[in-house]
Amino acid sequence: MSLGIRSRVAVPLKFADGYATTAEVITFDGLADGKEHLALALGDAFGAEVPLVRPHSECLTGDVFGSERCDCGPQLREAVERIAGVGGFLLYLRQEGRGIGLYAKLDAYALQDLGMDTYEANRALGHADDERDYTAAAQMLSALGVGAVDLLTNNPDKPSQLRSYGVDVRTVVPTKVHASDANVRYLQAKVAHTAHTIDLPLAV
């Protein structure tokens, strides 16, 4: 199956805090991993000279249930508004738990409750620190006709992988810090293990 856009549909979005916008949700044919990834075109996505893009990995616990063990839900909410303001795309990638899946992520949570950090727990379960692959994200951008992007992320692996797949990442724009008592150890681990650009406060 050749790479291309499969469908496009307008979806009104409204978040718990009242923020609302409309996204054009785009699906694809021919993605390398065969998963049902989505692109949300926000604001004047196709008119932006260099669109703002966030590759956001699915997090059921954070995005849907509001789990405070991570910062995924607040990052998703922030990204939608920031992208809508300047025009661009949120790539919603079906890579739960840094690529290990939902059940394994919950198993890792149980190990974290015993004292491991998020990366140590992954390793104890026989997984790598981060098993995500951004080939499909690069393919989605290609299908959308996007060659150059400003990337909204704190994760240095995302621009590195996308550049290796031919995406011109002009600028890396960090997200805000969404730290709380419940997730600060998780954020500290991301800084220590994978050099995320998160400027953590001295106290939370």
Side-chain angles (χ1 to χ4, degrees):
M1 185 181 296
S2 60
L3 176 65
I5 291 175
R6 174 183 174 276
S7 67
R8 303 161 76 134
V9 61
V11 177
L13 308 178
K14 188 170 184 179
F15 290 83
D17 62 1
Y19 173 75
T21 190
T22 297
E24 182 180 33
V25 179
I26 302 166
T27 66
F28 300 86
D29 287 320
L31 296 178
D33 58 11
K35 294 181 180 178
E36 295 183 331
H37 305 295
L38 303 172
L40 277 65
L42 297 157
D44 187 11
F46 292 98
E49 182 178 352
V50 180
L52 182 62
V53 172
R54 173 165 175 78
H56 184 92
S57 295
E58 178 180 43
C59 177
L60 180 70
T61 50
D63 296 343
V64 177
F65 299 133
S67 168
E68 294 188 333
R69 294 187 70 137
C70 62
D71 58 344
C72 302
Q75 282 190 321
L76 177 65
R77 163 65 182 85
E78 174 196 352
V80 168
E81 183 171 7
R82 290 181 68 177
I83 295 169
V86 298
F89 302 92
L90 186 138
L91 308 181
Y92 198 79
L93 306 172
R94 313 302 296 276
Q95 302 190 112
E96 181 81 45
R98 295 197 305 275
I100 68 174
L102 179 60
Y103 280 15
K105 181 177 82 171
L106 294 172
D107 292 342
Y109 277 1
L111 293 176
Q112 290 169 48
D113 289 343
L114 298 176
M116 295 184 186
D117 69 32
T118 179
Y119 298 96
E120 292 166 344
N122 271 28
R123 294 174 202 149
L125 293 169
H127 294 286
D129 285 354
D130 192 334
E131 297 186 358
R132 288 174 292 181
D133 182 283
Y134 296 98
T135 301
Q139 289 181 309
M140 293 160 77
L141 292 171
S142 176
L144 293 166
V146 175
V149 303
D150 291 332
L151 204 66
L152 183 61
T153 184
N154 299 325
N155 182 353
D157 189 45
K158 291 180 181 179
S160 176
Q161 282 203 39
L162 288 175
R163 284 172 173 141
S164 75
Y165 298 134
V167 178
D168 180 6
V169 179
R170 300 281 183 90
T171 305
V172 177
V173 182
T175 71
K176 295 177 182 177
V177 177
H178 302 285
S180 68
D181 289 338
N183 71 18
V184 68
R185 187 164 177 261
Y186 164 79
L187 298 181
Q188 288 169 338
K190 287 168 75 169
V191 173
H193 287 278
T194 48
H196 280 56
T197 54
I198 305 171
D199 186 13
L200 288 171
L202 294 177
V204 176

